Amino acid sequence: MTLHATVDRVTDRIRERSTKSRTAYEAKIARAAEDGPRRAHLSCGNQAHAYAAMPDKADLATTRKPNIGIVTAYNDMLSAHQPYEHYPDIIRRAAHAAGATAQVAGGVPAMCDGVTQGRPGMELSLFSRDVIALAAGVALSHDTFDSALYLGVCDKIVPGLIIAAATFGHIPAVFVPAGPMPSGLPNDEKSKVRQQFATGEVGREALMAAEMASYHSPGTCTFYGTANSNQMLMEFMGLHLPGSSFVNPNTPLREALTSAAVQRAASITRLGNDYLPAGEVLDERAFVNGIVGLMATGGSTNLILHLPAMARAAGVLLDLEDFHDLSECVPLMARVYPNGLADVNHFHAAGGLGFMIGQLIESGLLHADARTIAGGGLDQYAQEPKLRDGQVHWVEGARESLNDKILRPVADAFAPIGGLKQLVGNLGRGVIKVSAVAADRHIIEAPARVFSDQEEVKAAFKRGEFTEDTVVVVRFQGPSANGMPELHSLTPTLAVLQDRGLRVALVTDGRMSGASGKVPAAIHISPEAAHGGPLARVQDGDVIRLDATNGTLECLANDFATRVPASFDPETSSEGMGRELFRAFRAHVSPATEGAALVV
């Protein structure tokens, strides 16, 4: 199938934009790989330290067996990462069976935005991505690994691990998922209880019961937020084994897929004839494929921040215009909560990523020739795994949707575009996700109410101050101000106002999340207000026009350009809950348009 003209054009634009940085990156990883397996160059003392605790230390010291490094985000507080507890044992057994060895190289922190929503700890969330990259870098710095397995799922964990994998791009990388928890209380029912709690219709006991029935077991949360968008991304970018993203934890197929990932990691090292360094997988085609997947599934807006940072680590430079242009040509093929009633288990059962990738390849919307850890092109990812006699076999995946209320072909998609729009105007540059927003709310023009904190919005709501159409402006929420926390805890409040018949929208230099839904939200506005960006000049009563149809965001006040911007007090987020430790991050972070990163 001929590549779609827009996909071709955007890829060429990225390739041209990245010529200098990508060439330097490729030269760097070639230099790192040229001496062969680095372990052979360690002194005897270095090696003895590295192998001292290994039961098969003789294999490491005297043979050329591949040694696989495990970088794990395991902890048993987060449901998505708890299944990783026993993965090292599974991996070591599988490595031994494959004629290799494996060691846990190191751990990386994994925080949960679901726990920290609306709390001071959320101001560390985005920066945790860079910490994860740094921690993974420390783990791999021992220079004793021929390939690496990355165990991570959620919001900042996978992007941080990708940054590390790209930085150590001469080392083959296989990402190993843990899978979503089985379906619990439907997400729309949980959301309804949240709104009822916001209005005082139900008490905390009912809210807690609903939340516990929704988040109820090991595995990823089942709505299509950032965590599950990450898992989709790893398949579209060829870093998972095909069809492995949404297999539930603690099942025979899940364990068999983990063992198969180990076998693959052992086979693609420089010691064999199928060497596949991570840096060769992570080229411009992989990132374009990832963006296409994001649009086709209606994925998390957080990836609009993460993908540029991830790509930059591999010498690939992305811009918001790339997301916008690809969104305009990629149809929305899935309806998964919050963009529908189904969860990811229902999506997977309906045909899932295999069906979607097959459809997009046939329509010329993916680079089918992109390199993948499966060994061939992306067409292998139209297959699905089956368990036979304890071993994984891949068979042809679904060629028709098994539920067209959840998943549809390209020719009969839910919408002709992916639902992501770039916004440009005198308020700066940002994005809006409209895949779950009703068409009659793609344009909102209303007076502004300006806040500097999300708690101020909730307090105003409780006081009954929102009685007319309103654009809620929440500024000083950018990466330099306070780490760019998600403002997802505002979703129930804004949804209640919208359900009351008001036309409302959110405009912010902060983030929402993959769980943002039916309320129009112009997010990631850059330059941020803390740097004197345009949001710092907005005043209560200014008429704001958010036009997602034409991609504009404007303040209509006549004197807007000449106003003195409001000043930001950095002390508001300077200490408490570890924020003291991140002063250097806030001082040196890049703007949101470049990924809001420190390490790349």
Side-chain angles (χ1 to χ4, degrees):
M1 174 60 67
T2 303
L3 194 64
H4 190 285
T6 300
V7 176
D8 195 19
R9 175 174 56 83
V10 171
T11 305
D12 280 346
R13 183 172 68 202
I14 294 169
R15 189 179 290 119
E16 182 177 355
R17 186 192 301 137
S18 309
T19 298
K20 184 177 179 180
S21 54
R22 180 66 183 179
T23 300
Y25 173 78
E26 289 173 336
K28 179 188 78 168
I29 64 171
R31 288 193 300 271
E34 64 187 5
D35 291 335
R38 304 300 300 172
R39 195 167 64 256
H41 302 284
L42 297 178
S43 72
C44 293
N46 293 149
Q47 292 190 63
H49 279 289
Y51 313 151
M54 295 284 287
D56 44 4
K57 59 176 67 70
D59 284 344
L60 284 163
T62 62
T63 75
R64 285 175 57 83
K65 288 184 176 181
N67 188 35
I68 302 169
I70 306 166
V71 180
T72 178
Y74 162 72
N75 65 54
D76 64 5
M77 185 194 76
L78 305 188
S79 63
H81 293 88
Q82 186 274 340
Y84 285 135
E85 180 174 7
H86 302 296
Y87 272 42
D89 289 336
I90 297 170
I91 290 167
R92 282 188 282 264
R93 289 195 301 268
H96 181 75
T101 57
Q103 296 175 287
V104 174
V108 301
M111 68 177 292
C112 179
D113 291 357
V115 176
T116 57
Q117 286 289 351
R119 309 292 300 166
M122 173 54 82
E123 296 182 10
L124 310 188
S125 172
L126 182 57
F127 291 145
S128 74
R129 178 192 63 194
D130 293 53
V131 174
I132 288 159
L134 292 168
V138 171
L140 296 172
S141 68
H142 297 96
D143 209 11
T144 64
F145 304 110
D146 300 293
S147 63
L149 293 172
Y150 295 90
L151 315 185
V153 175
C154 286
D155 296 23
K156 267 59 64 188
I157 294 87
V158 167
L161 292 175
I162 287 284
I163 292 171
T167 304
F168 287 80
H170 63 291
I171 300 176
V174 176
F175 279 65
V176 186
M181 66 179 67
S183 302
L185 180 74
N187 287 294
D188 60 321
E189 293 184 26
K190 173 196 67 182
S191 179
K192 181 179 179 180
V193 175
R194 286 181 174 178
Q195 292 187 38
Q196 289 173 331
F197 179 76
T199 60
E201 296 174 61
V202 301
R204 187 167 296 277
E205 184 176 340
L207 176 65
M208 190 65 185
E211 298 288 354
M212 293 291 283
S214 181
Y215 307 118
H216 61 91
S217 73
T220 315
C221 307
T222 61
F223 65 86
Y224 195 55
T226 310
N228 287 316
S229 296
N230 282 339
Q231 301 310 291
M232 170 280 300
L233 195 71
M234 292 302 92
E235 286 211 34
F236 270 82
M237 293 179 66
L239 290 164
H240 278 174
L241 288 179
S244 62
S245 296
F246 299 132
V247 175
N248 299 125
N250 304 317
T251 60
L253 180 56
R254 176 84 278 157
E255 182 169 334
L257 283 165
T258 300
S259 296
V262 179
Q263 294 167 11
R264 191 63 191 149
S267 70
I268 59 176
T269 75
R270 198 172 177 86
L271 294 170
N273 298 319
D274 198 15
Y275 178 49
L276 183 59
E280 291 188 12
V281 176
L282 292 167
D283 67 5
E284 65 282 346
R285 294 171 300 175
F287 287 104
V288 167
N289 285 346
I291 296 172
V292 169
L294 185 68
M295 302 309 161
T297 59
S300 169
T301 56
N302 279 326
L303 271 300
I304 305 164
L305 286 172
H306 296 321
L307 275 162
M310 293 154 58
R312 192 171 289 265
V316 177
L317 305 181
L318 301 179
D319 188 87
L320 286 182
E321 66 175 348
D322 304 323
F323 291 84
H324 177 88
D325 289 355
L326 290 171
S327 178
E328 290 294 296
C329 75
V330 176
L332 179 67
M333 299 170 63
R335 288 284 192 200
V336 187
Y337 188 85
N339 184 30
L341 299 181
D343 66 22
V344 293
N345 293 307
H346 304 138
F347 167 76
H348 185 64
L353 296 178
F355 170 79
M356 182 174 280
I357 289 172
Q359 280 280 311
L360 290 166
I361 288 175
E362 289 177 10
S363 300
L365 291 166
L366 288 171
H367 288 280
D369 61 343
R371 301 199 72 181
T372 73
I373 61 101
L378 198 63
D379 56 335
Q380 291 179 264
Y381 287 74
Q383 299 178 321
E384 60 181 351
K386 297 293 184 182
L387 196 59
R388 296 176 185 166
D389 300 323
Q391 299 295 316
V392 179
H393 297 267
W394 276 268
V395 301
E396 184 179 62
R399 290 295 169 262
E400 295 183 1
S401 171
L402 302 180
N403 187 333
D404 65 5
K405 294 180 180 179
I406 300 171
L407 185 60
R408 290 186 181 175
V410 168
D412 185 32
F414 290 102
I417 64 172
L420 183 81
K421 292 279 191 175
Q422 178 181 215
L423 297 171
V424 179
N426 67 0
L427 285 176
R429 197 172 176 216
V431 293
I432 183 171
K433 176 182 172 183
V434 295
S435 53
V437 177
D440 64 349
R441 294 182 181 272
H442 286 191
I443 299 175
I444 301 290
E445 183 174 312
R449 281 291 307 272
V450 183
F451 302 90
S452 298
D453 182 272
Q454 59 184 315
E455 294 306 316
E456 295 176 0
V457 181
K458 297 175 189 175
F461 172 78
K462 290 179 180 178
R463 292 193 297 267
E465 295 180 7
F466 296 107
T467 58
E468 61 181 4
D469 296 349
T470 307
V471 174
V472 177
V473 176
V474 187
R475 63 191 180 193
F476 302 126
Q477 304 299 306
S480 293
N482 62 355
M484 206 176 186
E486 285 184 355
L487 306 180
H488 177 54
S489 65
L490 292 180
T491 300
T493 298
L494 298 175
V496 167
L497 295 177
Q498 183 166 279
D499 289 347
R500 288 175 178 171
L502 300 182
R503 297 181 65 78
V504 295
L506 174 70
V507 175
T508 181
D509 48 9
R511 295 185 290 136
M512 282 299 280
S513 79
S516 58
K518 63 184 182 180
V519 177
I523 58 177
H524 308 176
I525 303 301
S526 183
E528 63 174 289
H531 286 167
L535 285 187
R537 300 200 300 271
V538 179
Q539 299 174 1
D540 283 345
D542 286 347
V543 175
I544 303 293
R545 181 176 175 85
L546 191 170
D547 185 342
T549 302
N550 295 301
T552 59
L553 181 65
E554 300 277 346
C555 177
L556 303 183
N558 291 330
D559 64 339
F560 182 69
T562 60
R563 291 177 184 170
V564 176
S567 60
F568 170 66
D569 179 7
E571 294 304 311
T572 58
S573 292
S574 65
E575 62 183 30
M577 207 53 63
R579 288 178 288 186
E580 303 91 333
L581 302 173
F582 287 80
R583 286 193 180 97
F585 284 69
R586 294 190 294 271
H588 298 289
V589 65
S590 67
T593 49
E594 296 178 13
L598 183 75
V599 298
V600 292

